[in-house]
Amino acid sequence: MNILVYINTATHLSKSAFEVVTYASKIGGNISVIATGTASDDVLASLGEYGAKNVLIDRSVATDDAHQLTQLIGNAVTATQADLVLFSHDIIAKAVAPRLSVKLKAGLVSGAIAIPDTSNGFVVKVNVFSGKAIGHVAVNSAIKIVSLLPNSIQPEKTGNACSVSAFDGNVSASKITVLETKKPEGAIPLPEAELVVSAGRGLKGPENWNMVEDLANALGAATACSRPVADIGWRPHHEHVGQTGVAIRPNLYIAAGISGAIQHLAGVNGSKVIVVINTDAEAPFFKAADYGVVGDAFDVLPKLTEAVKKFKATQH
Amino acid sequence: MKILVCISKSPDTTSKIAFTDGNKQFDENGVQYIVNPYDEWYALVRGLELKETLGGSLTIITVGNVADEAIIRKALAIGADDAVRIDAEPKNAYYTAMQIAHYAKENNFDLVLTGKETINYNGSQVGGMLAEALDLPFISLATKLDVTNNVARMEREIVGGVQVVEATLPLVVSCAKGMAEQRIPNMRGIMAARTKPLTVIPAIATDELTTYVEYGLPSAKSAVKMIDPSNMDELVALLHNEAKVI
């Protein structure tokens, strides 16, 4: 099988890039990468350690226009004779993979959570019903497209650096004009964070968020919040996790002062481990939690922060 | 301006999710269907606001069977002018997109709006597929949309931030939170919806590129372990030694 993996890069590669190349490696085949972005050849070559045989890069194509990216990846599919195209299931993939599916008449599975079962055809598992069920999707077309849900598999190094070559994506002029791009500096994007500390109305006001940030800093975690907190403007909307906000699946999700409404759970029920801190022992969130603490966030969060700091000190 | 809003049915968020027929079919027993919230709250309502400001018409379209006319009437009650139902089971996103694209190609819309995803299949696929089939620009996960002199200005989510972009109509936009506020239909709207035009058209033949062959439920969580609030060292130790996440 010829596999083509699409990766967008910055100076460094994100963990999701290593995940999706590892995923390709576990499926098995001749793995090429088509990349965009600014990473140097040396950085790109490291993808070989995870199983890539060759990396093609077109640094001139931006990720702002799904149509251009579709042309670029489509041309790379032709060049590599790929019969499987892989993405990490991020915002770019959500825009590009469906277009590519129509262009190539290739069946698309979005948000895979496991290696495809090839014992009888090509069947991929995905979360459906907002994480409340799992669907098994058979792909019937000759060319197949799969986007991998971040944090579904761990990156594994198996080989050595690979070759990197320039690729001319041969794209037409964009019909989209970018007027402004706003990215907060230094923050860990929530969908990529492995550890997340989140809080809700139980924190009583934005001025108390330093307790959340202190714990997040001690852990090296990202911060998040519930919908009411974003709606009343205590925290920015991009921190809102839940059904209408961002869906995340970190290794650890710590929720303080969040009752755990079904709409909130829909955005976090993919988390590997959930810790719930709430004054109300009857809060529905405890039913979805692995560890629960019945107590006031104002008391528990600082104590937990101290305990984490103490633990971290013993690790060095 | 001619606006097309794609709507899908989805089970109410609180529905019990179960399967029948050897886990091959979603168990609809006792399930209340609603208009997929992203389609209704964001795509439909923003479309209506634009129509009310700029003039024109707003058509809703869904792929589904006769039972889905309940959600169509709801969307008409909120304010859509007319509706189209493509008479077929929406087997998957590609099938659905090809049906809608076939209709849209013949009817020249300036703006095609979808919700960011459905809450049952969560694929986020139909909007992008429509854009490719119609050969139009696609703006995904837009949180703001305004149109002036045939140019749309949008704010959208990007990896780690937001972006403001412009594109000339026609185009396809998928709508996320921030676009608009939910509208509750009033009695006048509900009465008017009964007589608004609803056209039923047959499906076109489309390749079945993917098939849902089976469903399952996630493995049940083990019971929650309660920790004394005065013993956070124990919680940290459990997260390290037992859960192995820190």
Side-chain angles (χ1 to χ4, degrees), chain A residues 64 99 105 110 129-130 132 134 136 138 140 177 179-182 231 240 243 290-292 310, chain B residues 13 38 120 125 132 136 156 162-164 166 207-209 211 213-214 216 221 225 227 233 242:
Chain A
D64 305 313
R99 291 199 78 125
K105 270 202 147 199
S110 297
F129 297 96
S130 302
K132 287 186 275 187
I134 293 164
H136 300 227
N140 312 319
T177 311
L179 302 177
E180 193 184 355
T181 300
K182 296 177 249 186
D231 281 354
H240 161 204
Q243 186 156 69
D290 299 278
Y291 302 101
K310 208 161 82 186
Chain B
T13 311
Y38 304 115
N120 38 353
Q125 296 183 357
E132 185 69 20
L136 293 178
R156 67 169 170 192
V162 293
Q163 194 172 57
V164 183
E166 265 185 3
D207 291 330
E208 193 167 332
L209 300 183
T211 313
V213 288
E214 198 188 329
K221 276 238 171 203
K225 204 173 264 187
I227 317 287
D233 290 333
E242 188 177 81

mmCIF file of all heavy atoms in Angstrom, chain A residues 64 99 105 110 129-130 132 134 136 138 140 177 179-182 231 240 243 290-292 310, chain B residues 13 38 120 125 132 136 156 162-164 166 207-209 211 213-214 216 221 225 227 233 242:
data_model
loop_
_atom_site.group_PDB
_atom_site.id
_atom_site.type_symbol
_atom_site.label_atom_id
_atom_site.label_comp_id
_atom_site.label_asym_id
_atom_site.label_seq_id
_atom_site.Cartn_x
_atom_site.Cartn_y
_atom_site.Cartn_z
ATOM 1 N N ASP A 64 -4.493 28.535 4.214
ATOM 2 C CA ASP A 64 -5.706 29.321 4.369
ATOM 3 C C ASP A 64 -6.820 28.926 3.406
ATOM 4 O O ASP A 64 -7.972 29.192 3.646
ATOM 5 C CB ASP A 64 -5.396 30.811 4.163
ATOM 6 C CG ASP A 64 -4.295 31.279 5.078
ATOM 7 O OD1 ASP A 64 -4.358 30.954 6.264
ATOM 8 O OD2 ASP A 64 -3.364 31.953 4.591
ATOM 9 N N ARG A 99 -13.020 17.913 0.685
ATOM 10 C CA ARG A 99 -12.830 18.350 -0.708
ATOM 11 C C ARG A 99 -12.047 17.289 -1.471
ATOM 12 O O ARG A 99 -12.379 16.938 -2.601
ATOM 13 C CB ARG A 99 -12.058 19.678 -0.767
ATOM 14 C CG ARG A 99 -12.802 20.894 -0.263
ATOM 15 C CD ARG A 99 -12.179 22.192 -0.784
ATOM 16 N NE ARG A 99 -12.589 22.405 -2.147
ATOM 17 C CZ ARG A 99 -13.192 23.514 -2.602
ATOM 18 N NH1 ARG A 99 -13.410 24.538 -1.806
ATOM 19 N NH2 ARG A 99 -13.546 23.614 -3.861
ATOM 20 N N LYS A 105 -12.800 10.968 -5.571
ATOM 21 C CA LYS A 105 -13.837 9.941 -5.378
ATOM 22 C C LYS A 105 -13.334 8.890 -4.386
ATOM 23 O O LYS A 105 -13.415 7.674 -4.603
ATOM 24 C CB LYS A 105 -14.208 9.287 -6.700
ATOM 25 C CG LYS A 105 -15.346 10.003 -7.407
ATOM 26 C CD LYS A 105 -16.031 9.082 -8.389
ATOM 27 C CE LYS A 105 -17.524 9.425 -8.475
ATOM 28 N NZ LYS A 105 -18.332 8.380 -9.026
ATOM 29 N N SER A 110 -13.558 10.370 9.026
ATOM 30 C CA SER A 110 -13.028 11.479 9.819
ATOM 31 C C SER A 110 -12.959 11.117 11.296
ATOM 32 O O SER A 110 -13.955 10.702 11.875
ATOM 33 C CB SER A 110 -13.927 12.701 9.667
ATOM 34 O OG SER A 110 -13.932 13.134 8.333
ATOM 35 N N PHE A 129 -22.138 9.991 17.671
ATOM 36 C CA PHE A 129 -23.068 10.447 18.716
ATOM 37 C C PHE A 129 -22.301 11.175 19.831
ATOM 38 O O PHE A 129 -22.482 10.873 21.012
ATOM 39 C CB PHE A 129 -23.915 9.288 19.245
ATOM 40 C CG PHE A 129 -24.806 8.693 18.194
ATOM 41 C CD1 PHE A 129 -24.420 7.575 17.473
ATOM 42 C CD2 PHE A 129 -26.020 9.295 17.897
ATOM 43 C CE1 PHE A 129 -25.230 7.055 16.477
ATOM 44 C CE2 PHE A 129 -26.843 8.773 16.897
ATOM 45 C CZ PHE A 129 -26.440 7.655 16.191
ATOM 46 N N SER A 130 -21.452 12.100 19.419
ATOM 47 C CA SER A 130 -20.671 12.932 20.341
ATOM 48 C C SER A 130 -19.952 12.105 21.397
ATOM 49 O O SER A 130 -19.939 12.433 22.574
ATOM 50 C CB SER A 130 -21.581 13.974 21.003
ATOM 51 O OG SER A 130 -22.207 14.773 20.022
ATOM 52 N N LYS A 132 -20.669 9.091 22.435
ATOM 53 C CA LYS A 132 -21.478 8.142 23.195
ATOM 54 C C LYS A 132 -21.539 6.774 22.521
ATOM 55 O O LYS A 132 -22.088 5.828 23.070
ATOM 56 C CB LYS A 132 -22.897 8.702 23.400
ATOM 57 C CG LYS A 132 -22.915 9.835 24.436
ATOM 58 C CD LYS A 132 -24.321 10.287 24.762
ATOM 59 C CE LYS A 132 -24.805 11.315 23.755
ATOM 60 N NZ LYS A 132 -26.099 11.912 24.132
ATOM 61 N N ILE A 134 -19.472 4.141 19.145
ATOM 62 C CA ILE A 134 -18.369 3.977 18.211
ATOM 63 C C ILE A 134 -18.937 3.393 16.918
ATOM 64 O O ILE A 134 -19.700 2.423 16.964
ATOM 65 C CB ILE A 134 -17.298 3.033 18.807
ATOM 66 C CG1 ILE A 134 -16.639 3.719 20.016
ATOM 67 C CG2 ILE A 134 -16.246 2.664 17.765
ATOM 68 C CD1 ILE A 134 -15.876 2.764 20.902
ATOM 69 N N HIS A 136 -18.246 1.662 13.110
ATOM 70 C CA HIS A 136 -17.250 0.934 12.318
ATOM 71 C C HIS A 136 -17.560 1.248 10.864
ATOM 72 O O HIS A 136 -18.604 0.854 10.357
ATOM 73 C CB HIS A 136 -17.357 -0.566 12.556
ATOM 74 C CG HIS A 136 -17.153 -0.971 13.986
ATOM 75 N ND1 HIS A 136 -16.325 -2.009 14.356
ATOM 76 C CD2 HIS A 136 -17.648 -0.466 15.149
ATOM 77 C CE1 HIS A 136 -16.336 -2.129 15.681
ATOM 78 N NE2 HIS A 136 -17.138 -1.216 16.182
ATOM 79 N N ALA A 138 -16.745 1.043 6.874
ATOM 80 C CA ALA A 138 -16.012 0.372 5.796
ATOM 81 C C ALA A 138 -15.784 1.379 4.678
ATOM 82 O O ALA A 138 -16.689 2.128 4.311
ATOM 83 C CB ALA A 138 -16.821 -0.804 5.279
ATOM 84 N N ASN A 140 -15.084 1.714 0.781
ATOM 85 C CA ASN A 140 -15.279 0.824 -0.369
ATOM 86 C C ASN A 140 -14.497 1.249 -1.608
ATOM 87 O O ASN A 140 -14.420 0.492 -2.574
ATOM 88 C CB ASN A 140 -16.772 0.784 -0.729
ATOM 89 C CG ASN A 140 -17.656 0.544 0.489
ATOM 90 O OD1 ASN A 140 -17.333 -0.269 1.341
ATOM 91 N ND2 ASN A 140 -18.770 1.257 0.584
ATOM 92 N N THR A 177 -9.062 35.947 0.530
ATOM 93 C CA THR A 177 -8.095 36.949 0.979
ATOM 94 C C THR A 177 -8.053 36.935 2.504
ATOM 95 O O THR A 177 -9.090 37.077 3.147
ATOM 96 C CB THR A 177 -8.532 38.357 0.517
ATOM 97 O OG1 THR A 177 -8.853 38.287 -0.861
ATOM 98 C CG2 THR A 177 -7.426 39.369 0.741
ATOM 99 N N LEU A 179 -7.315 38.775 5.804
ATOM 100 C CA LEU A 179 -7.162 40.156 6.253
ATOM 101 C C LEU A 179 -6.393 40.233 7.564
ATOM 102 O O LEU A 179 -5.678 41.183 7.822
ATOM 103 C CB LEU A 179 -8.538 40.806 6.423
ATOM 104 C CG LEU A 179 -9.427 40.831 5.176
ATOM 105 C CD1 LEU A 179 -10.783 41.426 5.512
ATOM 106 C CD2 LEU A 179 -8.770 41.629 4.061
ATOM 107 N N GLU A 180 -6.581 39.229 8.412
ATOM 108 C CA GLU A 180 -5.964 39.293 9.737
ATOM 109 C C GLU A 180 -5.886 37.895 10.337
ATOM 110 O O GLU A 180 -6.816 37.107 10.178
ATOM 111 C CB GLU A 180 -6.822 40.192 10.644
ATOM 112 C CG GLU A 180 -6.147 40.594 11.926
ATOM 113 C CD GLU A 180 -7.069 41.399 12.840
ATOM 114 O OE1 GLU A 180 -8.203 41.719 12.433
ATOM 115 O OE2 GLU A 180 -6.658 41.666 13.973
ATOM 116 N N THR A 181 -4.766 37.589 11.019
ATOM 117 C CA THR A 181 -4.642 36.323 11.730
ATOM 118 C C THR A 181 -4.256 36.620 13.163
ATOM 119 O O THR A 181 -3.299 37.353 13.400
ATOM 120 C CB THR A 181 -3.562 35.434 11.075
ATOM 121 O OG1 THR A 181 -3.959 35.182 9.723
ATOM 122 C CG2 THR A 181 -3.417 34.104 11.790
ATOM 123 N N LYS A 182 -5.044 36.092 14.110
ATOM 124 C CA LYS A 182 -4.758 36.344 15.529
ATOM 125 C C LYS A 182 -4.448 35.022 16.213
ATOM 126 O O LYS A 182 -5.293 34.130 16.246
ATOM 127 C CB LYS A 182 -5.975 36.978 16.214
ATOM 128 C CG LYS A 182 -6.354 38.353 15.693
ATOM 129 C CD LYS A 182 -7.619 38.853 16.377
ATOM 130 C CE LYS A 182 -8.764 38.881 15.386
ATOM 131 N NZ LYS A 182 -10.005 39.479 15.872
ATOM 132 N N ASP A 231 -19.475 32.277 28.058
ATOM 133 C CA ASP A 231 -20.602 33.120 27.648
ATOM 134 C C ASP A 231 -20.681 34.412 28.451
ATOM 135 O O ASP A 231 -21.058 35.457 27.915
ATOM 136 C CB ASP A 231 -21.925 32.350 27.789
ATOM 137 C CG ASP A 231 -22.142 31.383 26.628
ATOM 138 O OD1 ASP A 231 -21.319 31.412 25.682
ATOM 139 O OD2 ASP A 231 -23.113 30.609 26.660
ATOM 140 N N HIS A 240 -13.430 27.425 25.677
ATOM 141 C CA HIS A 240 -14.673 26.721 25.998
ATOM 142 C C HIS A 240 -14.655 25.298 25.420
ATOM 143 O O HIS A 240 -14.595 25.107 24.217
ATOM 144 C CB HIS A 240 -15.844 27.547 25.439
ATOM 145 C CG HIS A 240 -17.123 26.790 25.276
ATOM 146 N ND1 HIS A 240 -18.099 27.165 24.399
ATOM 147 C CD2 HIS A 240 -17.583 25.666 25.874
ATOM 148 C CE1 HIS A 240 -19.096 26.323 24.464
ATOM 149 N NE2 HIS A 240 -18.804 25.394 25.335
ATOM 150 N N GLN A 243 -19.858 20.575 23.839
ATOM 151 C CA GLN A 243 -20.455 20.268 22.549
ATOM 152 C C GLN A 243 -20.378 21.429 21.560
ATOM 153 O O GLN A 243 -20.060 21.230 20.398
ATOM 154 C CB GLN A 243 -21.901 19.868 22.755
ATOM 155 C CG GLN A 243 -22.539 19.394 21.476
ATOM 156 C CD GLN A 243 -23.705 18.486 21.757
ATOM 157 O OE1 GLN A 243 -24.736 18.916 22.250
ATOM 158 N NE2 GLN A 243 -23.541 17.237 21.478
ATOM 159 N N ASP A 290 -12.931 9.499 36.885
ATOM 160 C CA ASP A 290 -12.107 8.406 37.409
ATOM 161 C C ASP A 290 -11.753 8.675 38.862
ATOM 162 O O ASP A 290 -11.705 7.774 39.676
ATOM 163 C CB ASP A 290 -10.829 8.288 36.567
ATOM 164 C CG ASP A 290 -11.147 7.975 35.125
ATOM 165 O OD1 ASP A 290 -11.369 6.793 34.822
ATOM 166 O OD2 ASP A 290 -11.216 8.922 34.314
ATOM 167 N N TYR A 291 -11.467 9.939 39.158
ATOM 168 C CA TYR A 291 -11.149 10.343 40.529
ATOM 169 C C TYR A 291 -12.019 11.536 40.888
ATOM 170 O O TYR A 291 -12.202 12.443 40.066
ATOM 171 C CB TYR A 291 -9.675 10.716 40.659
ATOM 172 C CG TYR A 291 -8.739 9.592 40.274
ATOM 173 C CD1 TYR A 291 -8.110 9.579 39.032
ATOM 174 C CD2 TYR A 291 -8.517 8.512 41.138
ATOM 175 C CE1 TYR A 291 -7.284 8.536 38.663
ATOM 176 C CE2 TYR A 291 -7.689 7.460 40.770
ATOM 177 C CZ TYR A 291 -7.077 7.476 39.541
ATOM 178 O OH TYR A 291 -6.267 6.441 39.170
ATOM 179 N N GLY A 292 -12.562 11.519 42.093
ATOM 180 C CA GLY A 292 -13.443 12.603 42.507
ATOM 181 C C GLY A 292 -13.010 13.170 43.844
ATOM 182 O O GLY A 292 -12.509 12.447 44.716
ATOM 183 N N LYS A 310 5.304 19.482 44.876
ATOM 184 C CA LYS A 310 6.113 18.603 45.730
ATOM 185 C C LYS A 310 6.522 17.348 44.953
ATOM 186 O O LYS A 310 7.670 16.917 44.984
ATOM 187 C CB LYS A 310 5.272 18.213 46.964
ATOM 188 C CG LYS A 310 6.083 17.901 48.200
ATOM 189 C CD LYS A 310 5.215 17.980 49.451
ATOM 190 C CE LYS A 310 4.426 16.703 49.651
ATOM 191 N NZ LYS A 310 3.463 16.753 50.754
ATOM 192 N N THR B 13 -29.991 15.873 22.286
ATOM 193 C CA THR B 13 -28.737 15.614 23.012
ATOM 194 C C THR B 13 -28.910 14.621 24.162
ATOM 195 O O THR B 13 -27.997 13.869 24.495
ATOM 196 C CB THR B 13 -28.185 16.932 23.581
ATOM 197 O OG1 THR B 13 -28.192 17.889 22.544
ATOM 198 C CG2 THR B 13 -26.779 16.770 24.104
ATOM 199 N N TYR B 38 -26.234 22.859 15.252
ATOM 200 C CA TYR B 38 -25.344 23.770 14.513
ATOM 201 C C TYR B 38 -26.022 24.278 13.242
ATOM 202 O O TYR B 38 -25.814 25.418 12.833
ATOM 203 C CB TYR B 38 -24.024 23.086 14.156
ATOM 204 C CG TYR B 38 -23.307 22.539 15.356
ATOM 205 C CD1 TYR B 38 -23.109 21.177 15.506
ATOM 206 C CD2 TYR B 38 -22.849 23.390 16.352
ATOM 207 C CE1 TYR B 38 -22.457 20.668 16.620
ATOM 208 C CE2 TYR B 38 -22.202 22.891 17.459
ATOM 209 C CZ TYR B 38 -22.007 21.532 17.591
ATOM 210 O OH TYR B 38 -21.374 21.031 18.692
ATOM 211 N N ASN B 120 -24.738 13.751 15.604
ATOM 212 C CA ASN B 120 -24.762 12.283 15.604
ATOM 213 C C ASN B 120 -23.558 11.672 14.895
ATOM 214 O O ASN B 120 -22.947 10.756 15.417
ATOM 215 C CB ASN B 120 -26.086 11.700 15.100
ATOM 216 C CG ASN B 120 -26.707 12.455 13.947
ATOM 217 O OD1 ASN B 120 -26.243 13.516 13.549
ATOM 218 N ND2 ASN B 120 -27.763 11.908 13.406
ATOM 219 N N GLN B 125 -18.098 16.862 7.309
ATOM 220 C CA GLN B 125 -17.695 16.547 5.932
ATOM 221 C C GLN B 125 -18.536 17.217 4.848
ATOM 222 O O GLN B 125 -18.014 17.551 3.776
ATOM 223 C CB GLN B 125 -17.749 15.026 5.704
ATOM 224 C CG GLN B 125 -16.767 14.235 6.549
ATOM 225 C CD GLN B 125 -16.804 12.743 6.229
ATOM 226 O OE1 GLN B 125 -17.595 12.285 5.418
ATOM 227 N NE2 GLN B 125 -15.951 11.988 6.885
ATOM 228 N N GLU B 132 -16.393 21.378 -3.062
ATOM 229 C CA GLU B 132 -15.600 20.769 -4.139
ATOM 230 C C GLU B 132 -16.512 20.391 -5.307
ATOM 231 O O GLU B 132 -16.176 20.627 -6.465
ATOM 232 C CB GLU B 132 -14.849 19.547 -3.609
ATOM 233 C CG GLU B 132 -13.890 18.907 -4.604
ATOM 234 C CD GLU B 132 -12.669 19.770 -4.922
ATOM 235 O OE1 GLU B 132 -12.354 20.677 -4.134
ATOM 236 O OE2 GLU B 132 -12.040 19.514 -5.987
ATOM 237 N N LEU B 136 -16.562 25.728 -5.579
ATOM 238 C CA LEU B 136 -16.660 27.023 -4.907
ATOM 239 C C LEU B 136 -15.647 27.087 -3.768
ATOM 240 O O LEU B 136 -15.229 26.060 -3.240
ATOM 241 C CB LEU B 136 -18.063 27.200 -4.319
ATOM 242 C CG LEU B 136 -19.225 27.319 -5.298
ATOM 243 C CD1 LEU B 136 -20.538 27.442 -4.536
ATOM 244 C CD2 LEU B 136 -19.024 28.506 -6.233
ATOM 245 N N ARG B 156 -13.078 33.120 11.280
ATOM 246 C CA ARG B 156 -13.150 31.663 11.407
ATOM 247 C C ARG B 156 -12.084 31.162 12.365
ATOM 248 O O ARG B 156 -11.078 31.841 12.622
ATOM 249 C CB ARG B 156 -12.966 31.006 10.045
ATOM 250 C CG ARG B 156 -11.564 31.200 9.498
ATOM 251 C CD ARG B 156 -11.316 30.320 8.295
ATOM 252 N NE ARG B 156 -10.070 30.660 7.634
ATOM 253 C CZ ARG B 156 -9.712 30.216 6.445
ATOM 254 N NH1 ARG B 156 -10.513 29.433 5.765
ATOM 255 N NH2 ARG B 156 -8.561 30.552 5.923
ATOM 256 N N VAL B 162 -7.719 32.674 15.584
ATOM 257 C CA VAL B 162 -8.810 33.040 14.684
ATOM 258 C C VAL B 162 -8.262 33.863 13.526
ATOM 259 O O VAL B 162 -7.178 34.436 13.609
ATOM 260 C CB VAL B 162 -9.925 33.856 15.403
ATOM 261 C CG1 VAL B 162 -10.651 33.029 16.431
ATOM 262 C CG2 VAL B 162 -9.361 35.112 16.036
ATOM 263 N N GLN B 163 -9.031 33.913 12.433
ATOM 264 C CA GLN B 163 -8.586 34.585 11.227
ATOM 265 C C GLN B 163 -9.771 35.323 10.606
ATOM 266 O O GLN B 163 -10.891 34.831 10.659
ATOM 267 C CB GLN B 163 -8.070 33.519 10.255
ATOM 268 C CG GLN B 163 -7.279 34.044 9.091
ATOM 269 C CD GLN B 163 -6.644 32.900 8.306
ATOM 270 O OE1 GLN B 163 -7.351 32.020 7.848
ATOM 271 N NE2 GLN B 163 -5.343 32.922 8.154
ATOM 272 N N VAL B 164 -9.486 36.506 10.034
ATOM 273 C CA VAL B 164 -10.520 37.240 9.303
ATOM 274 C C VAL B 164 -10.207 37.095 7.818
ATOM 275 O O VAL B 164 -9.088 37.364 7.382
ATOM 276 C CB VAL B 164 -10.531 38.729 9.702
ATOM 277 C CG1 VAL B 164 -11.659 39.459 8.992
ATOM 278 C CG2 VAL B 164 -10.668 38.880 11.213
ATOM 279 N N GLU B 166 -11.817 37.239 3.509
ATOM 280 C CA GLU B 166 -12.837 37.723 2.579
ATOM 281 C C GLU B 166 -12.872 36.844 1.344
ATOM 282 O O GLU B 166 -11.836 36.332 0.915
ATOM 283 C CB GLU B 166 -12.480 39.152 2.115
ATOM 284 C CG GLU B 166 -13.158 40.227 2.923
ATOM 285 C CD GLU B 166 -12.893 41.620 2.370
ATOM 286 O OE1 GLU B 166 -12.220 41.767 1.310
ATOM 287 O OE2 GLU B 166 -13.348 42.562 3.000
ATOM 288 N N ASP B 207 -22.348 6.815 -5.826
ATOM 289 C CA ASP B 207 -21.503 5.717 -5.320
ATOM 290 C C ASP B 207 -21.506 5.706 -3.798
ATOM 291 O O ASP B 207 -21.482 6.753 -3.170
ATOM 292 C CB ASP B 207 -20.051 5.903 -5.805
ATOM 293 C CG ASP B 207 -19.940 5.699 -7.297
ATOM 294 O OD1 ASP B 207 -20.753 4.911 -7.830
ATOM 295 O OD2 ASP B 207 -19.076 6.340 -7.925
ATOM 296 N N GLU B 208 -21.493 4.515 -3.231
ATOM 297 C CA GLU B 208 -21.435 4.393 -1.772
ATOM 298 C C GLU B 208 -19.970 4.178 -1.388
ATOM 299 O O GLU B 208 -19.479 3.059 -1.326
ATOM 300 C CB GLU B 208 -22.318 3.231 -1.308
ATOM 301 C CG GLU B 208 -22.547 3.273 0.189
ATOM 302 C CD GLU B 208 -23.660 2.320 0.632
ATOM 303 O OE1 GLU B 208 -24.579 2.032 -0.156
ATOM 304 O OE2 GLU B 208 -23.578 1.872 1.791
ATOM 305 N N LEU B 209 -19.280 5.305 -1.162
ATOM 306 C CA LEU B 209 -17.827 5.215 -0.909
ATOM 307 C C LEU B 209 -17.525 4.655 0.483
ATOM 308 O O LEU B 209 -16.470 4.064 0.702
ATOM 309 C CB LEU B 209 -17.175 6.599 -1.052
ATOM 310 C CG LEU B 209 -17.303 7.298 -2.412
ATOM 311 C CD1 LEU B 209 -16.536 8.608 -2.398
ATOM 312 C CD2 LEU B 209 -16.806 6.407 -3.536
ATOM 313 N N THR B 211 -19.458 2.812 4.205
ATOM 314 C CA THR B 211 -20.647 2.166 4.756
ATOM 315 C C THR B 211 -20.461 1.977 6.257
ATOM 316 O O THR B 211 -19.413 1.467 6.685
ATOM 317 C CB THR B 211 -20.836 0.758 4.131
ATOM 318 O OG1 THR B 211 -20.692 0.855 2.718
ATOM 319 C CG2 THR B 211 -22.206 0.184 4.478
ATOM 320 N N VAL B 213 -20.862 -0.253 8.962
ATOM 321 C CA VAL B 213 -21.154 -1.688 9.007
ATOM 322 C C VAL B 213 -21.588 -2.142 10.399
ATOM 323 O O VAL B 213 -22.263 -3.158 10.537
ATOM 324 C CB VAL B 213 -19.945 -2.542 8.533
ATOM 325 C CG1 VAL B 213 -19.779 -2.405 7.029
ATOM 326 C CG2 VAL B 213 -18.665 -2.165 9.250
ATOM 327 N N GLU B 214 -21.213 -1.390 11.422
ATOM 328 C CA GLU B 214 -21.527 -1.831 12.775
ATOM 329 C C GLU B 214 -21.348 -0.659 13.743
ATOM 330 O O GLU B 214 -20.624 0.284 13.450
ATOM 331 C CB GLU B 214 -20.557 -2.953 13.173
ATOM 332 C CG GLU B 214 -20.998 -3.807 14.342
ATOM 333 C CD GLU B 214 -19.887 -4.769 14.789
ATOM 334 O OE1 GLU B 214 -19.081 -5.194 13.928
ATOM 335 O OE2 GLU B 214 -19.838 -5.061 15.987
ATOM 336 N N GLY B 216 -20.909 0.243 18.159
ATOM 337 C CA GLY B 216 -20.659 -0.309 19.486
ATOM 338 C C GLY B 216 -20.741 0.814 20.503
ATOM 339 O O GLY B 216 -20.829 1.990 20.147
ATOM 340 N N LYS B 221 -16.981 3.061 32.057
ATOM 341 C CA LYS B 221 -15.972 3.580 32.985
ATOM 342 C C LYS B 221 -16.042 2.804 34.286
ATOM 343 O O LYS B 221 -17.137 2.466 34.750
ATOM 344 C CB LYS B 221 -16.291 5.050 33.277
ATOM 345 C CG LYS B 221 -15.743 5.997 32.233
ATOM 346 C CD LYS B 221 -14.818 7.009 32.869
ATOM 347 C CE LYS B 221 -14.098 7.820 31.786
ATOM 348 N NZ LYS B 221 -12.856 8.409 32.232
ATOM 349 N N LYS B 225 -13.221 6.880 41.931
ATOM 350 C CA LYS B 225 -12.503 6.700 43.195
ATOM 351 C C LYS B 225 -12.501 8.034 43.921
ATOM 352 O O LYS B 225 -12.010 9.031 43.368
ATOM 353 C CB LYS B 225 -11.069 6.255 42.866
ATOM 354 C CG LYS B 225 -10.380 5.504 43.975
ATOM 355 C CD LYS B 225 -9.028 4.959 43.505
ATOM 356 C CE LYS B 225 -9.115 3.515 43.037
ATOM 357 N NZ LYS B 225 -7.794 2.920 42.742
ATOM 358 N N ILE B 227 -11.430 10.810 46.668
ATOM 359 C CA ILE B 227 -10.228 11.157 47.416
ATOM 360 C C ILE B 227 -10.612 12.223 48.449
ATOM 361 O O ILE B 227 -11.352 13.152 48.126
ATOM 362 C CB ILE B 227 -9.138 11.756 46.484
ATOM 363 C CG1 ILE B 227 -9.038 10.977 45.179
ATOM 364 C CG2 ILE B 227 -7.806 11.883 47.205
ATOM 365 C CD1 ILE B 227 -8.418 9.631 45.251
ATOM 366 N N ASP B 233 -1.912 14.752 48.134
ATOM 367 C CA ASP B 233 -0.727 13.947 47.818
ATOM 368 C C ASP B 233 -1.139 12.577 47.304
ATOM 369 O O ASP B 233 -0.523 12.023 46.391
ATOM 370 C CB ASP B 233 0.149 13.776 49.065
ATOM 371 C CG ASP B 233 0.824 15.087 49.443
ATOM 372 O OD1 ASP B 233 1.048 15.916 48.527
ATOM 373 O OD2 ASP B 233 1.114 15.280 50.632
ATOM 374 N N GLU B 242 -0.991 4.956 39.271
ATOM 375 C CA GLU B 242 -2.103 4.132 38.794
ATOM 376 C C GLU B 242 -2.553 4.556 37.393
ATOM 377 O O GLU B 242 -2.579 3.764 36.463
ATOM 378 C CB GLU B 242 -3.267 4.247 39.786
ATOM 379 C CG GLU B 242 -4.414 3.300 39.499
ATOM 380 C CD GLU B 242 -5.497 3.427 40.553
ATOM 381 O OE1 GLU B 242 -6.318 4.377 40.462
ATOM 382 O OE2 GLU B 242 -5.524 2.592 41.472
#
